[in-house]
Amino acid sequence: MTMVEEQVPTREEVSAEDTWDISSLYADQAAWEADVERISNALLPALTSLQGTLANGPEALLAVFQAQEALGMVLEQIYVYASLRADEDTANQHYQALEERAAALSIKVSAATSWIEPELLALSDEQILGYISSLPALEHYRRALEEQIRLRQHTRSGEVEELLAQSGEISRGAQTTFNMFSDADLKFPPIEDEQGKPLEVTMGRYAVLLENPNQRIRRDTFMSIHRTYRQFRNMLAANYATNVRSNIFYAKARGYDSALDASLKPKEIPMSVYDNLISTVHEHLPKLHRYGAVRKRILGVNSLHAYDWFVPLNGAAPTKIDFEQGASLILSALEPLGAEYSSSLGHGLESRWVDRYENKNKRSGAYSWGCYTSQPFILMNYKNNLNSLFTLAHELGHSMHSLMTRKYQPYTYGHYTLFVAEVASTLNEALLAEYMLKTSDDPALRLQLVTQQIDDIRGTLLRQTLFAEFERETHRMVEHGEALTADNLSALYRRLIEQYYGPELVIDEELDIEWARIPHFYRSFYVYQYSTGISAALALADKILTEGAGAAENYVNFLRGGNSKSSIDLLKGAGVDMTTPDPIHRAMNRFGDLVTKLDELTA
């Protein structure tokens, strides 16, 4: 029996209580328009009027920072509102235009304020530090100013900075093209369900259809998606290559050694963290090969394909968990994190943080977002299954990280880096899995949970490291003068699949094109942080469950830290050192232990 409805509702057909409450940002578009006008007519002119004053003394610097913060908070709120509305229905031209207006306004502000860094860095290090010493109110900005000094060599003249800022709208073109093509324009051929009736295939349904016990349905779903992408392989290769070349252009313009260096250095992440991740995972790839053999045996299939990685292994129908049940389970599982965390999370679930279910043309996937002045917002496509339950726990981890950061940090440090972003989300998943294993006597569910943990590490650590290696290599190819074509991108991707998954996986030629449908490749050098994040999260979850309240408080303090310290130092304070390969080794050893447990449970 299929696990999805045959028809996807329109946005208007979805109950309001199942959607996020955008009115907490703006009551209506008129309020949004008022803030757009306020930026253009008041906040931006107020800030630009201060150009040329930074040499006048510490009071002038403080005035610029305060005006910049006032503008930034409003601009962020404008952009989030427009983007959330656009993602509700990617075919709604009105809200797509609204998002474009917000993006254009952001580019305008960026260009108009591009003078700040060059003018600040026209001052000597001694002058900047002297400003801080002479005006106590500037002590608040010490870390931000020291960061400016650290990155001084990568800041260009005011004229060049303005030009780079103005080019921002062009640089996001590849990502915009991919999103519109993938979410709004691309349609997949239907497949037949078990009764021979047509069944619509969408990216929102992709994961749940791959859980179907009928291998034919899994195969047909996989082929429907990937054969459709393959029809556009040359366009998608050209679009991705444009994105890579854009990254390299900005890296060269700012004097970085490479696009990867330009991504890591501003976040104070050593290059060794990225390279060590890949090399350490390579050491443990035989564990993934063994999992492929165990999964093939349990499924009883003659050959193991990419579409066989998600189906439950106990032969029973997947456990059904509706949204309300899932929320209750998550609240119970996260009680070890303390009273403040639990009460804030419960309030959020009752306050329409989550846009729950799929509707026509809704953006696929899931995310948590918001701004400094708002509640968190979660977009997902909940399917009443175990995978959706863990996705909800994952995104709630992001939301609680944002909530805690904004509560305890001023706007200057009220955001966290991408490097630590995935720690809070994957820790929630780890605590949920442990809780459910301890409280369930159902053998089928326990087997699903063991498989869930294995697949979580496979999907979040191993798969994302493969993606990270793909990104590193594609950027290296262009940096060494090699063109990116559909053929060499597919050849590179196939080579990595063969290396990571080993001899048990049959690689259908359709899998070669999978790189073309991965949206995270347009947020370059983002995915490796899933891998480092889950490694840190597994270590911290173990400390919380074994050491109790003290470890939990250290972790919650990490959530409160925002960007007040470097990501590496924040994690050290929580109890894990990501400059060493030890967390990666521990996570991969955990993976190996789980595979052994699975093998024993199903022997």
Side-chain angles (χ1 to χ4, degrees):
M1 206 176 171
T2 52
M3 296 173 289
V4 292
E5 298 289 337
E6 289 196 3
Q7 295 298 322
V8 178
T10 65
R11 184 68 182 179
E12 292 72 23
E13 292 170 337
V14 178
S15 171
E17 65 188 28
D18 293 329
T19 65
W20 48 26
D21 183 12
I22 300 294
S23 67
S24 61
L25 277 168
Y26 290 105
D28 51 35
Q29 189 174 328
W32 183 86
E33 296 284 1
D35 263 356
V36 171
E37 185 176 348
R38 184 154 70 103
I39 282 184
S40 298
N41 296 338
L43 295 175
L44 185 57
L47 179 55
T48 55
S49 70
L50 300 174
Q51 185 171 357
T53 66
L54 290 186
N56 295 347
E59 290 80 5
L61 178 57
L62 179 63
V64 168
F65 277 160
Q66 290 174 337
Q68 191 177 24
E69 288 182 351
L71 171 60
M73 280 192 277
V74 177
L75 180 62
E76 187 179 43
Q77 188 166 321
I78 287 170
Y79 191 83
V80 168
Y81 176 86
S83 295
L84 296 182
R85 284 298 192 205
D87 286 347
E88 292 174 352
D89 182 350
T90 59
N92 185 314
Q93 296 300 302
H94 176 76
Y95 286 126
Q96 299 309 314
L98 213 65
E99 184 180 34
E100 287 299 316
R101 286 179 58 197
L105 180 62
S106 181
I107 298 298
K108 175 184 175 182
V109 168
S110 181
T113 59
S114 60
W115 57 271
I116 296 175
E117 283 190 23
E119 189 171 319
L120 174 63
L121 293 177
L123 306 173
S124 68
D125 294 356
E126 293 74 18
Q127 282 179 294
I128 294 172
L129 296 174
Y131 277 12
I132 299 173
S133 300
S134 62
L135 185 61
L138 281 176
E139 187 65 36
H140 168 76
Y141 300 98
R142 176 179 289 276
R143 172 168 163 74
L145 288 165
E146 288 175 347
E147 281 296 286
Q148 295 281 357
I149 292 171
R150 183 175 70 85
L151 297 172
R152 177 187 290 274
Q153 63 179 312
H154 301 296
T155 303
R156 297 296 170 247
S157 68
E159 183 179 8
V160 173
E161 285 292 340
E162 182 177 4
L163 186 62
L164 290 174
Q166 288 175 344
S167 69
E169 194 164 4
I170 300 172
S171 70
R172 65 190 290 269
Q175 182 181 27
T176 301
T177 298
F178 174 82
N179 289 341
M180 293 303 296
F181 174 76
S182 185
D183 291 330
D185 292 342
L186 199 59
K187 304 300 178 186
F188 306 103
I191 65 171
E192 290 185 355
D193 67 12
E194 293 90 336
Q195 290 76 42
K197 296 178 181 179
L199 180 64
E200 184 179 358
V201 175
T202 68
M203 286 308 302
R205 291 178 166 185
Y206 181 57
V208 71
L209 284 168
L210 290 188
E211 291 183 355
N212 194 291
N214 186 319
Q215 190 183 42
R216 193 269 304 165
I217 287 180
R218 299 198 303 271
R219 178 190 179 279
D220 289 354
T221 300
F222 179 87
M223 295 303 174
S224 173
I225 295 286
H226 290 83
R227 285 175 179 170
T228 302
Y229 272 97
R230 194 170 63 176
Q231 293 175 25
F232 304 95
R233 60 197 301 268
N234 293 310
M235 181 278 289
L236 288 163
N239 194 57
Y240 177 65
T242 298
N243 185 68
V244 171
R245 287 194 293 269
S246 174
N247 297 332
I248 294 170
F249 166 77
Y250 284 104
K252 287 181 177 179
R254 296 194 176 281
Y256 288 100
D257 294 337
S258 65
L260 180 56
D261 183 47
S263 176
L264 299 181
K265 187 175 288 184
K267 306 180 186 77
E268 300 178 84
I269 305 298
M271 184 74 72
S272 60
V273 170
Y274 200 100
D275 292 336
N276 284 340
L277 167 68
I278 294 172
S279 62
T280 305
V281 165
H282 281 188
E283 293 179 39
H284 293 273
L285 286 178
K287 294 181 172 70
L288 179 57
H289 303 169
R290 182 183 173 217
Y291 176 46
V294 172
R295 175 169 272 274
K296 178 181 176 182
R297 173 184 63 77
I298 298 171
L299 289 176
V301 294
N302 294 325
S303 57
L304 188 73
H305 298 257
Y307 45 81
D308 295 322
W309 284 99
F310 302 95
V311 60
L313 294 178
N314 62 351
T319 300
K320 292 188 176 181
I321 303 172
D322 66 28
F323 187 91
E324 287 73 18
Q325 291 173 311
S328 179
L329 279 169
I330 291 168
L331 284 168
S332 297
L334 301 183
E335 283 183 3
L337 299 182
E340 181 187 11
Y341 191 103
S342 294
S343 63
S344 298
L345 179 59
H347 174 74
L349 286 167
E350 295 173 357
S351 303
R352 290 176 59 193
W353 282 7
V354 187
D355 202 83
R356 302 179 181 182
Y357 305 118
E358 182 183 12
N359 58 253
K360 284 187 182 297
N361 300 314
K362 180 179 176 180
R363 176 171 168 167
S364 60
Y367 65 70
S368 171
W369 201 19
C371 55
Y372 188 78
T373 55
S374 80
Q375 67 179 52
F377 298 94
I378 294 174
L379 177 142
M380 67 179 306
N381 297 278
Y382 197 90
K383 297 294 182 184
N384 292 344
N385 59 19
L386 206 60
N387 184 62
S388 287
L389 169 65
F390 277 82
T391 298
L392 176 59
H394 182 103
E395 300 305 338
L396 285 169
H398 288 309
S399 293
M400 288 301 299
H401 196 175
S402 299
L403 189 76
M404 290 289 191
T405 291
R406 293 164 190 161
K407 181 177 179 180
Y408 286 94
Q409 294 297 327
Y411 180 74
T412 306
Y413 308 114
H415 303 77
Y416 46 82
T417 67
L418 295 178
F419 186 79
V420 300
E422 296 305 325
V423 175
S425 54
T426 48
L427 181 134
N428 275 16
E429 292 188 71
L431 291 181
L432 176 61
E434 288 299 318
Y435 174 81
M436 293 180 72
L437 279 171
K438 288 178 181 177
T439 57
S440 174
D441 295 326
D442 180 355
L445 177 58
R446 291 178 62 82
L447 181 56
Q448 287 182 53
L449 287 167
V450 170
T451 308
Q452 175 81 23
Q453 290 182 86
I454 291 172
D455 286 335
D456 194 30
I457 298 174
R458 183 190 69 83
T460 308
L461 173 50
L462 287 152
R463 181 171 167 82
Q464 302 303 323
T465 302
L466 185 156
F467 287 169
E469 188 167 0
F470 178 83
E471 286 192 281
R472 186 183 69 178
E473 295 310 306
T474 55
H475 283 77
R476 281 180 176 176
M477 288 164 69
V478 176
E479 286 166 344
H480 287 85
E482 186 174 349
L484 294 183
T485 66
D487 286 343
N488 62 24
L489 286 169
S490 292
L492 169 61
Y493 196 80
R494 185 182 187 88
R495 176 175 64 78
L496 292 173
I497 291 289
E498 290 173 343
Q499 179 182 13
Y500 275 69
Y501 285 88
E504 293 296 341
L505 181 69
V506 175
I507 304 178
D508 300 288
E509 69 172 322
E510 288 80 6
L511 185 57
D512 295 359
I513 198 64
E514 187 177 44
W515 59 266
R517 70 168 186 83
I518 307 300
H520 279 115
F521 286 161
Y522 292 89
R523 298 183 66 185
S524 302
F525 305 115
Y526 174 84
V527 295
Y528 86 97
Q529 295 160 120
Y530 285 110
S531 303
T532 54
I534 192 173
S535 301
L538 289 173
L540 292 173
D542 183 62
K543 290 174 71 70
I544 290 166
L545 292 174
T546 57
E547 298 176 17
E553 182 63 18
N554 288 339
Y555 169 71
V556 172
N557 280 334
F558 154 75
L559 299 182
R560 295 166 179 153
N563 197 29
S564 59
K565 297 179 182 178
S566 74
S567 300
I568 296 294
D569 287 341
L570 285 167
L571 285 171
K572 284 181 180 178
V576 63
D577 185 356
M578 294 306 299
T579 63
T580 72
D582 180 64
I584 313 299
H585 282 302
R586 290 176 63 181
M588 287 307 306
N589 287 333
R590 167 74 171 161
F591 179 80
D593 291 342
L594 287 165
V595 172
T596 298
K597 187 172 185 178
L598 175 66
D599 198 17
E600 293 170 350
L601 286 171
T602 59

